[in-house]
Amino acid sequence: DTGVSQDPRHKITKRGQNVTFRCDPISEHNRLYWYRQTLGQGPEFLTYFQNEAQLEKSRLLSDRFSAERPKGSFSTLEIQRTEQGDSAMYLCASSLEHEAFFGQGTRLTVV
Amino acid sequence: QKEVEQNSGPLSVPEGAIASLNCTYSDRGSQSFFWYRQYSGKSPELIMFIYSNGDKEDGRFTAQLNKASQYVSLLIRDSQPSDSATYLCAVDSGGSYIPTFGRGTSLIVHP
């Protein structure tokens, strides 16, 4: 399968714990995005990388969230000191030009 | 603030009918327009993209773009129950390469 891959698919964590998600984009894609989606809403932009450079980060994004893309390949999204409001589907997408393709997502539940 | 507006629905159509899904956007500089289909509990799947004014057809799907009116639509001909899903409109301003999503329209195709 040469699509976007995310790991884990599901994560349940206790409030206050740190979590890290991984995204492996389509191999030739230089652009990588993280979005968050809650029930009944569209995907909400979190951050964007072109190669290894983080070019854009949502102003709504708390400083508890950090993302990296070392060497311009896979990316990680870390959430520190999780809160119940962080419960959502975290989606990664990648693109070569304008068309972005999504992974399966990581569903986070904070209890 | 770039906004993408969609009626949340649900839009209910009988099997075999044409489903018409609409989207408006606020950023006049937008250059790329996308339609994604999202089944419940799954991630968004890119089904159409359009960059120029007019119509673009792909099988049963037709995307229509009117930049003067800041309006993009998706027509689904010969609707099938398997088309029942949420349809997300996404817009990017070209320079940013970051798609902004609407909240989606729920489509129900009943037999």
Side-chain angles (χ1 to χ4, degrees):
Chain A
D1 187 351
T2 57
V4 180
S5 178
Q6 292 188 245
D7 184 70
R9 297 289 302 278
H10 303 274
K11 178 72 177 178
I12 300 174
T13 191
K14 292 184 178 180
R15 191 174 49 188
Q17 297 295 304
N18 299 344
V19 294
T20 300
F21 308 142
R22 177 179 170 123
C23 172
D24 287 274
I26 295 171
S27 60
E28 65 268 26
H29 286 186
N30 59 342
R31 295 188 174 89
L32 186 147
Y33 311 82
W34 286 98
Y35 286 84
R36 174 174 61 190
Q37 188 178 25
T38 54
L39 195 63
Q41 302 298 316
E44 174 194 16
F45 170 72
L46 296 180
T47 191
Y48 161 60
F49 291 85
Q50 183 170 326
N51 299 311
E52 67 275 11
Q54 187 174 22
L55 296 186
E56 190 85 18
K57 188 175 176 181
S58 170
R59 284 170 287 178
L60 302 176
L61 198 61
S62 160
D63 59 6
R64 297 184 296 105
F65 287 70
S66 62
E68 294 182 340
R69 192 184 183 195
K71 303 178 183 177
S73 55
F74 72 92
S75 176
T76 58
L77 176 69
E78 181 183 18
I79 309 173
Q80 296 182 327
R81 304 181 303 281
T82 51
E83 302 173 356
Q84 286 190 318
D86 296 330
S87 295
M89 174 81 88
Y90 289 83
L91 295 163
C92 176
S94 71
S95 72
L96 185 59
E97 293 294 336
H98 292 281
E99 301 96 45
F101 298 90
F102 282 89
Q104 315 96 311
T106 294
R107 182 168 297 283
L108 173 66
T109 302
V110 181
V111 298
Chain B
Q1 178 78 11
K2 299 173 185 175
E3 294 184 349
V4 178
E5 300 288 340
Q6 294 182 258
N7 187 321
S8 61
L11 173 65
S12 181
V13 301
E15 185 174 356
I18 296 174
S20 178
L21 303 158
N22 305 314
C23 172
T24 59
Y25 58 94
S26 63
D27 182 6
R28 282 201 171 272
S30 298
Q31 297 180 17
S32 305
F33 306 86
F34 311 92
W35 283 99
Y36 287 81
R37 178 176 61 200
Q38 187 172 30
Y39 292 113
S40 180
K42 303 295 185 182
S43 64
E45 174 193 8
L46 180 65
I47 55 172
M48 288 287 289
F49 55 90
I50 186 168
Y51 303 141
S52 303
N53 272 331
D55 294 0
K56 178 181 179 182
E57 187 174 318
D58 183 2
R60 294 186 298 112
F61 299 103
T62 299
Q64 299 176 316
L65 175 61
N66 184 327
K67 288 187 179 180
S69 300
Q70 294 176 242
Y71 177 92
V72 58
S73 64
L74 178 71
L75 301 178
I76 306 175
R77 289 181 300 281
D78 188 25
S79 296
Q80 301 298 310
S82 59
D83 295 325
S84 298
T86 295
Y87 289 80
L88 296 161
C89 173
V91 175
D92 95 48
S93 62
S96 75
Y97 289 96
I98 299 173
T100 298
F101 284 81
R103 64 182 300 178
T105 298
S106 174
L107 172 66
I108 298 172
V109 181
H110 54 87

